[in-house]
Amino acid sequence: MKSLAFSCMVAIALGFTGTAHAQSSQLTIAPDDEVVVSVDGQSDLTGLYLVEPDGSFQFPFIGRVPAAGLTAAALTGVLTEGLRPYVAGPVVHVEVRQPQRVFVFGDVARPGLYDLTDSMTLLELLLQAGYSGVSEVLVARTGNVRTPVLPDQAEPSDVIQVNLRQLESDVRAGDFSRNLLLQTGDTVFVPTLDPNTVFVTGDVNNPGPY
């Protein structure tokens, strides 16, 4: 019965969270997030918990807690109610830490998501991904999103156009000011067809791309 009641409580919290999320930009918990929980006066319950691929994590006394889809506030309520049979008047605090990641797609050897390290720059990411040497890339900067957002899916004002030829020339000269500092959620798109290349054919000595 207790398990059923707890499941119902989580379902209610998820329902309220869905309504709130539709009206708010507050992000909800997802797998791979870290949840920092503290309970006043209960140091043994305070700790960092990793949300596992199934969207839940193991918590003392309560057991398996489904967290995916909840906000930090909703999870606070779930844990508070779950602890009432074991802790008198539990005061729970929840902080959610989301993984810092960036995405790179297009004409690179190793597309996908990358952990965002401190001060990671555009050139650093492109070198890790094995970019093709095109002259221009696009960066879609749409905030701390969990999935890639390609340039044609973003608002024009959220797309940063970077001329790599100019950037590479500046770096060789010791000027790193154009080397874009990446932010979590950035999607870097490397086009297969270089937008600054023209093809010459016909009765010429050296046909081909320029």
PDB file of all heavy atoms in Angstrom, residues 123 131 163-176 178:
ATOM      1  N   LEU A 123      37.418  26.371 -31.866  1.00  0.00           N
ATOM      2  CA  LEU A 123      38.486  25.633 -32.531  1.00  0.00           C
ATOM      3  C   LEU A 123      38.849  24.357 -31.780  1.00  0.00           C
ATOM      4  O   LEU A 123      39.129  23.322 -32.392  1.00  0.00           O
ATOM      5  CB  LEU A 123      39.726  26.511 -32.689  1.00  0.00           C
ATOM      6  CG  LEU A 123      39.760  27.447 -33.895  1.00  0.00           C
ATOM      7  CD1 LEU A 123      41.083  28.199 -33.951  1.00  0.00           C
ATOM      8  CD2 LEU A 123      39.523  26.687 -35.202  1.00  0.00           C
ATOM      9  N   TYR A 131      37.200  18.252 -37.844  1.00  0.00           N
ATOM     10  CA  TYR A 131      36.451  18.951 -38.891  1.00  0.00           C
ATOM     11  C   TYR A 131      37.213  18.910 -40.214  1.00  0.00           C
ATOM     12  O   TYR A 131      38.416  18.681 -40.272  1.00  0.00           O
ATOM     13  CB  TYR A 131      36.125  20.380 -38.460  1.00  0.00           C
ATOM     14  CG  TYR A 131      37.245  21.389 -38.564  1.00  0.00           C
ATOM     15  CD1 TYR A 131      37.229  22.353 -39.568  1.00  0.00           C
ATOM     16  CD2 TYR A 131      38.293  21.412 -37.647  1.00  0.00           C
ATOM     17  CE1 TYR A 131      38.234  23.309 -39.657  1.00  0.00           C
ATOM     18  CE2 TYR A 131      39.293  22.358 -37.725  1.00  0.00           C
ATOM     19  CZ  TYR A 131      39.266  23.303 -38.733  1.00  0.00           C
ATOM     20  OH  TYR A 131      40.261  24.234 -38.813  1.00  0.00           O
ATOM     21  N   ASN A 163      33.685  32.743 -39.626  1.00  0.00           N
ATOM     22  CA  ASN A 163      34.603  32.565 -40.747  1.00  0.00           C
ATOM     23  C   ASN A 163      35.889  31.939 -40.217  1.00  0.00           C
ATOM     24  O   ASN A 163      36.693  32.601 -39.553  1.00  0.00           O
ATOM     25  CB  ASN A 163      34.885  33.919 -41.422  1.00  0.00           C
ATOM     26  CG  ASN A 163      35.737  33.780 -42.672  1.00  0.00           C
ATOM     27  OD1 ASN A 163      36.697  33.013 -42.705  1.00  0.00           O
ATOM     28  ND2 ASN A 163      35.385  34.534 -43.707  1.00  0.00           N
ATOM     29  N   LEU A 164      36.087  30.669 -40.514  1.00  0.00           N
ATOM     30  CA  LEU A 164      37.243  29.958 -39.971  1.00  0.00           C
ATOM     31  C   LEU A 164      38.554  30.395 -40.612  1.00  0.00           C
ATOM     32  O   LEU A 164      39.610  30.324 -39.971  1.00  0.00           O
ATOM     33  CB  LEU A 164      37.062  28.449 -40.138  1.00  0.00           C
ATOM     34  CG  LEU A 164      35.969  27.808 -39.280  1.00  0.00           C
ATOM     35  CD1 LEU A 164      35.906  26.318 -39.555  1.00  0.00           C
ATOM     36  CD2 LEU A 164      36.217  28.054 -37.801  1.00  0.00           C
ATOM     37  N   ARG A 165      38.503  30.828 -41.855  1.00  0.00           N
ATOM     38  CA  ARG A 165      39.730  31.292 -42.487  1.00  0.00           C
ATOM     39  C   ARG A 165      40.275  32.511 -41.744  1.00  0.00           C
ATOM     40  O   ARG A 165      41.472  32.590 -41.460  1.00  0.00           O
ATOM     41  CB  ARG A 165      39.477  31.623 -43.962  1.00  0.00           C
ATOM     42  CG  ARG A 165      39.155  30.427 -44.813  1.00  0.00           C
ATOM     43  CD  ARG A 165      40.371  29.507 -44.980  1.00  0.00           C
ATOM     44  NE  ARG A 165      39.985  28.302 -45.697  1.00  0.00           N
ATOM     45  CZ  ARG A 165      39.576  27.180 -45.133  1.00  0.00           C
ATOM     46  NH1 ARG A 165      39.516  27.090 -43.815  1.00  0.00           N
ATOM     47  NH2 ARG A 165      39.246  26.132 -45.853  1.00  0.00           N
ATOM     48  N   GLN A 166      39.378  33.439 -41.435  1.00  0.00           N
ATOM     49  CA  GLN A 166      39.805  34.629 -40.693  1.00  0.00           C
ATOM     50  C   GLN A 166      40.248  34.256 -39.282  1.00  0.00           C
ATOM     51  O   GLN A 166      41.256  34.751 -38.774  1.00  0.00           O
ATOM     52  CB  GLN A 166      38.665  35.640 -40.631  1.00  0.00           C
ATOM     53  CG  GLN A 166      39.018  36.953 -39.923  1.00  0.00           C
ATOM     54  CD  GLN A 166      40.106  37.719 -40.650  1.00  0.00           C
ATOM     55  OE1 GLN A 166      39.963  38.048 -41.818  1.00  0.00           O
ATOM     56  NE2 GLN A 166      41.213  37.996 -39.960  1.00  0.00           N
ATOM     57  N   LEU A 167      39.492  33.341 -38.658  1.00  0.00           N
ATOM     58  CA  LEU A 167      39.830  32.915 -37.301  1.00  0.00           C
ATOM     59  C   LEU A 167      41.197  32.234 -37.268  1.00  0.00           C
ATOM     60  O   LEU A 167      42.030  32.530 -36.398  1.00  0.00           O
ATOM     61  CB  LEU A 167      38.745  31.970 -36.783  1.00  0.00           C
ATOM     62  CG  LEU A 167      39.007  31.278 -35.442  1.00  0.00           C
ATOM     63  CD1 LEU A 167      39.293  32.288 -34.349  1.00  0.00           C
ATOM     64  CD2 LEU A 167      37.829  30.380 -35.057  1.00  0.00           C
ATOM     65  N   GLU A 168      41.437  31.328 -38.205  1.00  0.00           N
ATOM     66  CA  GLU A 168      42.718  30.617 -38.235  1.00  0.00           C
ATOM     67  C   GLU A 168      43.876  31.586 -38.477  1.00  0.00           C
ATOM     68  O   GLU A 168      44.954  31.459 -37.889  1.00  0.00           O
ATOM     69  CB  GLU A 168      42.682  29.535 -39.307  1.00  0.00           C
ATOM     70  CG  GLU A 168      41.741  28.378 -38.960  1.00  0.00           C
ATOM     71  CD  GLU A 168      41.363  27.545 -40.176  1.00  0.00           C
ATOM     72  OE1 GLU A 168      41.724  27.964 -41.309  1.00  0.00           O
ATOM     73  OE2 GLU A 168      40.709  26.506 -39.999  1.00  0.00           O
ATOM     74  N   SER A 169      43.642  32.574 -39.350  1.00  0.00           N
ATOM     75  CA  SER A 169      44.675  33.583 -39.621  1.00  0.00           C
ATOM     76  C   SER A 169      44.972  34.397 -38.372  1.00  0.00           C
ATOM     77  O   SER A 169      46.140  34.668 -38.049  1.00  0.00           O
ATOM     78  CB  SER A 169      44.221  34.494 -40.762  1.00  0.00           C
ATOM     79  OG  SER A 169      45.152  35.531 -40.986  1.00  0.00           O
ATOM     80  N   ASP A 170      43.918  34.763 -37.644  1.00  0.00           N
ATOM     81  CA  ASP A 170      44.104  35.533 -36.409  1.00  0.00           C
ATOM     82  C   ASP A 170      44.887  34.728 -35.373  1.00  0.00           C
ATOM     83  O   ASP A 170      45.780  35.253 -34.705  1.00  0.00           O
ATOM     84  CB  ASP A 170      42.744  35.935 -35.819  1.00  0.00           C
ATOM     85  CG  ASP A 170      42.052  37.013 -36.638  1.00  0.00           C
ATOM     86  OD1 ASP A 170      42.709  37.591 -37.535  1.00  0.00           O
ATOM     87  OD2 ASP A 170      40.859  37.262 -36.391  1.00  0.00           O
ATOM     88  N   VAL A 171      44.533  33.444 -35.230  1.00  0.00           N
ATOM     89  CA  VAL A 171      45.200  32.593 -34.238  1.00  0.00           C
ATOM     90  C   VAL A 171      46.679  32.450 -34.569  1.00  0.00           C
ATOM     91  O   VAL A 171      47.537  32.495 -33.679  1.00  0.00           O
ATOM     92  CB  VAL A 171      44.503  31.220 -34.150  1.00  0.00           C
ATOM     93  CG1 VAL A 171      45.329  30.241 -33.328  1.00  0.00           C
ATOM     94  CG2 VAL A 171      43.104  31.370 -33.545  1.00  0.00           C
ATOM     95  N   ARG A 172      47.007  32.287 -35.854  1.00  0.00           N
ATOM     96  CA  ARG A 172      48.409  32.181 -36.248  1.00  0.00           C
ATOM     97  C   ARG A 172      49.177  33.464 -35.908  1.00  0.00           C
ATOM     98  O   ARG A 172      50.372  33.414 -35.614  1.00  0.00           O
ATOM     99  CB  ARG A 172      48.519  31.882 -37.746  1.00  0.00           C
ATOM    100  CG  ARG A 172      48.217  30.437 -38.115  1.00  0.00           C
ATOM    101  CD  ARG A 172      48.657  30.127 -39.524  1.00  0.00           C
ATOM    102  NE  ARG A 172      47.897  30.896 -40.508  1.00  0.00           N
ATOM    103  CZ  ARG A 172      46.753  30.493 -41.067  1.00  0.00           C
ATOM    104  NH1 ARG A 172      46.245  29.305 -40.743  1.00  0.00           N
ATOM    105  NH2 ARG A 172      46.137  31.238 -41.955  1.00  0.00           N
ATOM    106  N   ALA A 173      48.451  34.583 -35.916  1.00  0.00           N
ATOM    107  CA  ALA A 173      49.077  35.864 -35.592  1.00  0.00           C
ATOM    108  C   ALA A 173      49.054  36.144 -34.087  1.00  0.00           C
ATOM    109  O   ALA A 173      49.505  37.199 -33.653  1.00  0.00           O
ATOM    110  CB  ALA A 173      48.386  36.992 -36.342  1.00  0.00           C
ATOM    111  N   GLY A 174      48.509  35.194 -33.314  1.00  0.00           N
ATOM    112  CA  GLY A 174      48.483  35.360 -31.868  1.00  0.00           C
ATOM    113  C   GLY A 174      47.257  36.073 -31.343  1.00  0.00           C
ATOM    114  O   GLY A 174      47.192  36.428 -30.166  1.00  0.00           O
ATOM    115  N   ASP A 175      46.261  36.294 -32.203  1.00  0.00           N
ATOM    116  CA  ASP A 175      45.026  36.974 -31.802  1.00  0.00           C
ATOM    117  C   ASP A 175      43.926  35.925 -31.631  1.00  0.00           C
ATOM    118  O   ASP A 175      43.470  35.329 -32.606  1.00  0.00           O
ATOM    119  CB  ASP A 175      44.632  38.007 -32.857  1.00  0.00           C
ATOM    120  CG  ASP A 175      43.348  38.745 -32.494  1.00  0.00           C
ATOM    121  OD1 ASP A 175      42.798  38.505 -31.396  1.00  0.00           O
ATOM    122  OD2 ASP A 175      42.878  39.561 -33.318  1.00  0.00           O
ATOM    123  N   PHE A 176      43.504  35.699 -30.378  1.00  0.00           N
ATOM    124  CA  PHE A 176      42.491  34.677 -30.092  1.00  0.00           C
ATOM    125  C   PHE A 176      41.108  35.284 -29.830  1.00  0.00           C
ATOM    126  O   PHE A 176      40.205  34.594 -29.374  1.00  0.00           O
ATOM    127  CB  PHE A 176      42.927  33.853 -28.877  1.00  0.00           C
ATOM    128  CG  PHE A 176      44.175  33.052 -29.105  1.00  0.00           C
ATOM    129  CD1 PHE A 176      45.423  33.603 -28.873  1.00  0.00           C
ATOM    130  CD2 PHE A 176      44.108  31.755 -29.582  1.00  0.00           C
ATOM    131  CE1 PHE A 176      46.584  32.879 -29.095  1.00  0.00           C
ATOM    132  CE2 PHE A 176      45.263  31.011 -29.801  1.00  0.00           C
ATOM    133  CZ  PHE A 176      46.510  31.572 -29.563  1.00  0.00           C
ATOM    134  N   ARG A 178      38.691  36.178 -31.744  1.00  0.00           N
ATOM    135  CA  ARG A 178      37.574  35.653 -32.534  1.00  0.00           C
ATOM    136  C   ARG A 178      37.275  34.184 -32.226  1.00  0.00           C
ATOM    137  O   ARG A 178      36.318  33.632 -32.761  1.00  0.00           O
ATOM    138  CB  ARG A 178      37.871  35.781 -34.032  1.00  0.00           C
ATOM    139  CG  ARG A 178      37.987  37.192 -34.549  1.00  0.00           C
ATOM    140  CD  ARG A 178      38.322  37.161 -36.033  1.00  0.00           C
ATOM    141  NE  ARG A 178      38.678  38.454 -36.555  1.00  0.00           N
ATOM    142  CZ  ARG A 178      37.831  39.280 -37.183  1.00  0.00           C
ATOM    143  NH1 ARG A 178      36.576  38.899 -37.366  1.00  0.00           N
ATOM    144  NH2 ARG A 178      38.236  40.452 -37.645  1.00  0.00           N
TER     145      ARG A 178
END
